Amino acid sequence: MKRMLLKIAYDGTAYYGWQRQNNFITVQQRLEESLSRLLGQEISVRGSSRTDTGVHALGQGAVFKADFTIPEDRFPYALNSFLPEDIVCRGARLVDEEFHPQYSVVKKTYKYSILNDRYRNPLLDRYCEFVPKELDTDKMSQCCKYFLGEHDFKAFCASGSTAKTTNRTIYDLTVEKNQNIIDIEVTGNGFLYNMVRIIAGTLVDVGLGKIPVSDVEKIIAWGDRTKAGKTLPPRGLALMNIVYDFMQKKG
Amino acid sequence: MKRMLLKIAYDGTAYYGWQRQNNFITVQQRLEESLSRLLGQEISVRGSSRTDTGVHALGQGAVFKADFTIPEDRFPYALNSFLPEDIVCRGARLVDEEFHPQYSVVKKTYKYSILNDRYRNPLLDRYCEFVPKELDTDKMSQCCKYFLGEHDFKAFCASGSTAKTTNRTIYDLTVEKNQNIIDIEVTGNGFLYNMVRIIAGTLVDVGLGKIPVSDVEKIIAWGDRTKAGKTLPPRGLALMNIVYDFMQKKG
């Protein structure tokens, strides 16, 4: 039996998130169906991130076990001929038995994109949240430093989360503006339920002047969800990349 | 009666182009329906460009005549509340009787976008043509100069065109690469049927090495459609901007 790790990109607009569900179409289900047809056997995959309804991905990870002869470098092309248009396999590599789709994750990068303009732009609507009031990106950038390192991110976790601990480590958080598009990019060892969308919502409140820059440190320390910003909609969020431990060992 | 010029953006994916048709949904039809509901009277518009099925726009122009009291600066917001999600009014201004949606055009800018990467990207698919083989953008840039100025662009016109003359003037043509996205941007006094998509197809053939840079000048001179590249699909094309004569007089 071989074990293969796939790099999967998707436009999440049409899906009820990654994780298989009973009555709704999800990305995992479509991927499993396509793999099963390609390989002529029942395939189930395990993903590295449970992206929510409507969230996009460029670098989701998914692993499966099966017997097959298609070589790594041809595998994405073979699989893509079975996948729907809005799901694309962008990489495949064999991994050993120690690999685990969640525990082998070293860090993940998400991007939240905002269109900050007077009017909506129909060519960006699927992938950007629209904020018509002017955002002060200098202020947004200034509070990024408070998020870095290990913190209890309870204030940035939606209720209903089943996480054992709300401690997470953030390695990098940046705010970049190109023309009218503001990209918030965050890299961490893991993220709580809705955490990136609440961080983005908090940074938007800072950019609007609703939350002073200096309050952000306290909002993290207090651990009170009601003090942080709102959860922004899924359309602006994309899982960009995942680094696994075997990639680092190689270096 | 007032005469108002609107700046209209749309995701063309769901539409049979701009121009009203009998049995297909078009952008013009949806805009006229929305204006008629907003103003409580039958409104018809005239557009500045007949964008094809699936072609997008950020800066289409459309003019209508009616009696109404909504001021210019509020008009886009009022209209957007009636328009479908994939059509957005991004500007409105009153124009005088001399204004004509086609004859008052001084120049138009179109952009054709290409994803030049090993794999498709589902987050770019709606707005980029996908070219998996590597394109030499230096070569593509080198032949831009041959298009500049007034030429008979018969070689870059689809059959079935009803244009009286195939002479057009191109003011600017550039090829820019950002990461894996190549943008071909062209500004001219007007464009023949499918002209931008054929120019883009010809530049792609140059980038692939199928057409030598030095042949492009001859391809324009010969006026033979079969010597130019193929017509690229509509998804990569967007009407970016239109400059009208009254904008220049102001300066």
Side-chain angles (χ1 to χ4, degrees):
Chain A
M1 292 280 268
K2 288 174 182 171
R3 189 182 292 235
M4 190 172 254
L5 172 64
L6 305 173
K7 188 172 188 173
I8 304 292
Y10 42 88
D11 178 330
T13 311
Y15 297 99
Y16 279 79
W18 164 263
Q19 187 86 349
R20 205 179 241 284
Q21 292 187 33
N22 276 335
N23 298 308
F24 300 100
I25 306 291
T26 67
V27 179
Q28 183 182 14
Q29 180 191 333
R30 283 285 179 255
L31 177 59
E32 289 176 341
E33 288 168 357
S34 303
L35 279 166
S36 301
R37 280 195 285 149
L38 170 65
L39 301 176
Q41 52 193 296
E42 201 64 38
I43 302 288
S44 54
V45 305
R46 297 184 65 177
S48 290
S49 283
R50 294 193 186 182
T51 58
D52 274 342
T53 300
V55 172
H56 315 291
L58 271 182
Q60 168 74 291
V63 72
F64 70 93
K65 281 185 289 188
D67 282 316
F68 58 91
T69 54
I70 306 168
E72 283 172 318
D73 62 331
R74 298 310 305 164
F75 202 92
Y77 300 104
L79 177 55
N80 284 337
S81 66
F82 287 88
L83 283 168
E85 285 268 299
D86 50 8
I87 305 178
V88 175
C89 176
R90 290 172 61 89
R93 57 191 297 170
L94 295 169
V95 287
D96 60 31
E97 280 199 15
E98 288 161 33
F99 179 85
H100 187 283
Q102 281 119 38
Y103 304 140
S104 299
V105 170
V106 176
K107 55 185 183 180
K108 296 176 184 174
T109 299
Y110 280 90
K111 185 167 80 174
Y112 199 95
S113 299
I114 293 161
L115 173 66
N116 192 208
D117 201 358
R118 273 182 76 175
Y119 302 111
R120 277 178 40 235
N121 177 336
L123 307 188
L124 297 173
D125 267 350
R126 287 172 84 91
Y127 311 111
C128 288
E129 168 64 353
F130 171 57
V131 177
K133 286 187 188 165
E134 201 179 339
L135 294 172
D136 184 332
T137 47
D138 287 338
K139 282 187 183 170
M140 293 167 74
S141 292
Q142 281 163 29
C143 57
C144 287
K145 59 177 180 287
Y146 301 124
F147 289 91
L148 302 184
E150 187 179 350
H151 296 277
D152 182 345
F153 283 107
K154 219 168 85 183
F156 297 85
C157 179
S159 61
S161 164
T162 56
K164 286 172 199 156
T165 162
T166 45
N167 274 35
R168 294 291 185 277
T169 301
I170 291 187
Y171 302 114
D172 202 22
L173 175 61
T174 56
V175 176
E176 279 200 25
K177 185 165 187 174
N178 287 301
Q179 293 178 319
N180 297 317
I181 298 168
I182 296 169
D183 286 330
I184 298 168
E185 206 167 273
V186 58
T187 300
N189 65 347
F191 295 94
L192 300 165
Y193 186 50
N194 280 355
M195 180 168 157
V196 181
R197 289 159 59 187
I198 300 170
I199 291 175
T202 305
L203 290 179
V204 163
D205 279 352
V206 170
L208 292 171
K210 288 186 193 172
I211 295 179
V213 172
S214 55
D215 273 14
V216 172
E217 192 171 15
K218 291 176 230 165
I219 289 169
I220 298 170
W222 288 331
D224 178 355
R225 171 70 191 89
T226 65
K227 297 286 188 286
K230 66 177 178 187
T231 307
L232 293 191
R235 61 170 59 186
L237 186 61
L239 169 58
M240 299 302 284
N241 194 41
I242 301 175
V243 173
Y244 299 97
D245 51 10
F246 71 87
M247 295 174 176
Q248 295 199 317
K249 284 170 198 157
K250 276 182 65 182
Chain B
M1 291 279 271
K2 288 174 182 172
R3 186 182 295 234
M4 189 171 256
L5 171 64
L6 304 173
K7 188 171 187 174
I8 304 291
Y10 42 90
D11 179 331
T13 310
Y15 297 100
Y16 279 79
W18 164 263
Q19 187 86 349
R20 206 178 240 284
Q21 291 187 33
N22 277 334
N23 298 306
F24 300 100
I25 306 290
T26 67
V27 179
Q28 183 183 13
Q29 180 191 333
R30 283 285 180 257
L31 176 61
E32 288 175 342
E33 288 167 359
S34 302
L35 279 167
S36 300
R37 279 195 287 148
L38 170 66
L39 301 178
Q41 52 193 296
E42 201 66 37
I43 303 287
S44 54
V45 305
R46 296 184 67 176
S48 290
S49 282
R50 293 192 187 184
T51 59
D52 273 342
T53 299
V55 172
H56 314 292
L58 272 183
Q60 169 73 291
V63 72
F64 69 93
K65 281 184 289 187
D67 282 315
F68 57 90
T69 54
I70 308 169
E72 282 173 316
D73 62 332
R74 299 309 307 163
F75 203 92
Y77 300 104
L79 177 55
N80 285 335
S81 66
F82 287 88
L83 282 167
E85 284 268 299
D86 51 6
I87 305 177
V88 175
C89 176
R90 290 172 60 89
R93 58 190 296 169
L94 295 168
V95 287
D96 60 32
E97 278 200 18
E98 288 161 34
F99 179 84
H100 187 283
Q102 281 119 38
Y103 304 139
S104 300
V105 170
V106 176
K107 55 186 180 179
K108 295 176 184 174
T109 299
Y110 280 90
K111 184 166 80 173
Y112 197 95
S113 299
I114 294 162
L115 173 66
N116 191 208
D117 200 356
R118 274 182 76 175
Y119 303 110
R120 278 177 39 235
N121 177 336
L123 307 188
L124 297 173
D125 268 351
R126 287 171 85 91
Y127 312 111
C128 288
E129 168 64 352
F130 172 57
V131 178
K133 287 187 188 166
E134 202 180 338
L135 294 172
D136 184 332
T137 47
D138 286 340
K139 282 186 183 170
M140 292 167 75
S141 291
Q142 281 162 32
C143 57
C144 287
K145 60 179 178 288
Y146 300 124
F147 290 90
L148 302 184
E150 186 178 352
H151 296 278
D152 182 343
F153 284 107
K154 217 168 86 182
F156 297 84
C157 179
S159 61
S161 163
T162 55
K164 285 172 201 157
T165 162
T166 45
N167 273 35
R168 294 291 183 278
T169 300
I170 291 187
Y171 301 115
D172 201 21
L173 174 61
T174 57
V175 176
E176 279 200 25
K177 185 166 187 172
N178 287 301
Q179 292 178 322
N180 298 315
I181 299 169
I182 297 168
D183 287 331
I184 298 167
E185 206 168 272
V186 57
T187 300
N189 65 346
F191 294 94
L192 300 164
Y193 187 49
N194 282 353
M195 181 169 158
V196 180
R197 290 159 60 186
I198 301 169
I199 291 176
T202 305
L203 290 178
V204 164
D205 280 352
V206 170
L208 293 170
K210 287 187 192 173
I211 295 179
V213 172
S214 56
D215 273 16
V216 172
E217 191 171 16
K218 290 176 233 165
I219 289 170
I220 298 170
W222 287 331
D224 178 355
R225 170 69 191 91
T226 66
K227 296 287 188 285
K230 66 177 179 188
T231 307
L232 293 191
R235 61 170 61 186
L237 185 62
L239 170 58
M240 300 302 285
N241 194 42
I242 300 176
V243 173
Y244 299 96
D245 50 13
F246 71 85
M247 296 173 177
Q248 296 199 317
K249 282 172 200 156
K250 274 183 65 181

